[in-house]
Amino acid sequence: MNYIKEQNGQLWLTEDERENLKISYRIKEIIYSERSPFQHVMILDSYDFGRMLVLDGVVQTTSIDGHIYNEMITHVPLSLHPSPKKVLIIGGGDCGAAREVAKYEEVEEIHLVEIDELVVQACKEHLPEVSGNLSDPRVQYVYKDGVQFVKDHVNTYDVIIIDSSDPIGPAQVLFEYDFYKSVHEALKEDGMMVCQSQSPIFHMDVLKQTYANIRHLFPHVHVYTATVPTYPGGLWSFTLGAKQAVSFERLTTFAKQTKYANADVLNQCFCLPQFMKEHLQS
Ligand code: SAM
């Protein structure tokens, strides 16, 4: 694990983001470190971002800014859908997204399909600020590859949230066209999906390919953004696909208990900077 190094008596995690970009965090303590059949799972305590979940040396979520990502990937689709009863989360092992979905009384079932059980265990035990040690009875944990799971559940869900890691390792398949096609088939006729679609600054190729794939399947596709400090470049994108037209005015009445999302933020998150509009139109 060359991403954890001791320098002058100090412990540092260095994320190897790109050839010419490394992101380093000073670490107080390695709280948990285990290899699963899929990846290296670590919970670290850092000086500036509190506790963080790190998979194969890449920061996934932290106790300082994890809520920004988890609130934006959940409250947008859950507020836009007319009556979300059955919700599927693919990935999401830190349980932060499921915790936000559980804030909707009208939701009857939350299926969390995570390929790596070790991630859920580690986050429940060592990252309660994000996982909330979630024990809501509506949450069903399924430890399986999301690709196979959606194929086995046609016309089942109102909302599908793809809370995946980066398109490397086990998550690579979650960015492929065939997977989005299965997601489209797993949704009911008024269903909608959302996925994290990487950085518009550093991964525009992934965002454009994701947008193109989803536009090929869904009649209504909308990209929105949020700022997540521990994600490369800070600016992060989400792509939403809906089988029926989306009524954005539903966001004006948003009033859930949150730390980042509110009605103004949810309404403005679809206002894209010019470079993104031009790239997505080209
Ligand atoms: N918000 C984080 C991000 O944007 O980087 C991701 C959070 S969550 C921890 C990502 C989860 O996706 C991980 O726990 C990982 O094990 C899971 N995952 C990766 N590939 C998967 C697959 N094919 N099926 C189900 N879960 C998968």
Side-chain angles (χ1 to χ4, degrees):
M1 59 177 195
N2 56 3
Y3 32 78
I4 294 268
K5 285 207 176 69
E6 181 146 348
Q7 280 153 349
N8 311 326
Q10 300 179 339
L11 205 53
W12 290 85
L13 166 76
T14 297
E15 221 181 84
D16 214 351
E17 178 50 34
R18 304 160 66 87
E19 197 185 341
N20 304 313
L21 175 66
K22 316 288 176 215
I23 304 170
S24 291
Y25 304 86
R26 188 172 170 207
I27 303 299
K28 284 182 191 166
E29 188 190 350
I30 299 178
I31 293 169
Y32 176 91
S33 174
E34 284 292 330
R35 269 192 193 286
S36 79
F38 307 99
Q39 55 208 345
H40 180 214
V41 181
M42 284 198 295
I43 304 283
L44 303 177
D45 190 12
S46 71
Y47 279 87
D48 287 338
F49 283 97
R51 289 195 173 194
M52 43 173 61
L53 168 66
V54 178
L55 299 179
D56 286 342
V58 178
V59 176
Q60 301 294 308
T61 190
T62 81
S63 54
I64 296 294
D65 64 356
H67 62 280
I68 300 173
Y69 171 95
N70 287 319
E71 290 178 11
M72 294 305 285
I73 200 168
T74 53
H75 294 299
V76 171
L78 270 287
S79 301
L80 287 174
H81 193 283
S83 74
K85 290 194 173 37
K86 218 167 171 176
V87 177
L88 169 62
I89 300 170
I90 300 280
D94 56 72
C95 302
R99 196 179 172 189
E100 297 304 317
V101 175
K103 291 179 180 175
Y104 293 77
E105 287 101 37
E106 65 266 43
V107 170
E108 297 166 357
E109 294 179 56
I110 306 169
H111 296 170
L112 195 155
V113 177
E114 163 59 58
I115 199 167
D116 194 341
E117 183 168 0
L118 225 55
V119 174
V120 174
Q121 287 171 2
C123 292
K124 281 194 161 186
E125 194 175 341
H126 303 293
L127 195 55
E129 303 90 337
V130 175
S131 70
N133 198 4
L134 191 63
S135 58
D136 187 301
R138 293 171 295 169
V139 180
Q140 198 187 325
Y141 296 89
V142 181
Y143 300 112
K144 206 174 180 181
D145 186 334
V147 170
Q148 191 51 49
F149 184 89
V150 284
K151 279 186 188 151
D152 300 340
H153 292 79
V154 174
N155 191 28
T156 305
Y157 294 100
D158 299 300
V159 175
I160 297 180
I161 297 168
I162 305 161
D163 177 11
S164 77
S165 20
D166 297 341
I168 49 173
Q172 196 164 354
V173 284
L174 303 180
F175 288 80
E176 290 171 4
Y177 179 81
D178 288 349
F179 170 65
Y180 294 125
K181 190 164 180 298
S182 304
V183 166
H184 182 270
E185 287 153 13
L187 286 164
K188 294 177 188 167
E189 61 184 24
D190 65 346
M192 63 178 66
M193 55 81 58
V194 67
C195 62
Q196 70 90 359
S197 41
Q198 301 286 112
S199 159
I201 308 281
F202 292 125
H203 315 127
M204 181 53 85
D205 52 338
V206 176
L207 170 54
K208 287 182 76 167
Q209 188 57 58
T210 302
Y211 183 68
N213 283 339
I214 295 172
R215 263 180 59 139
H216 198 264
L217 294 158
F218 291 85
H220 309 280
V221 182
H222 306 279
V223 174
Y224 61 97
T225 65
T227 304
V228 185
T230 44
Y231 290 173
L235 183 64
W236 211 247
S237 73
F238 304 86
T239 301
L240 182 138
K243 290 188 171 185
Q244 297 189 7
V246 169
S247 43
F248 288 101
E249 54 281 355
R250 298 179 64 83
L251 299 175
T252 55
T253 55
F254 178 79
K256 293 289 177 192
Q257 187 67 37
T258 51
K259 292 194 287 184
Y260 182 86
N262 58 36
D264 296 336
V265 167
L266 296 191
N267 271 295
Q268 283 146 20
C269 66
F270 291 93
C271 302
L272 300 181
Q274 196 54 27
F275 81 96
M276 284 180 73
K277 285 186 176 180
E278 287 168 9
H279 271 290
L280 295 174
Q281 277 153 12
S282 66

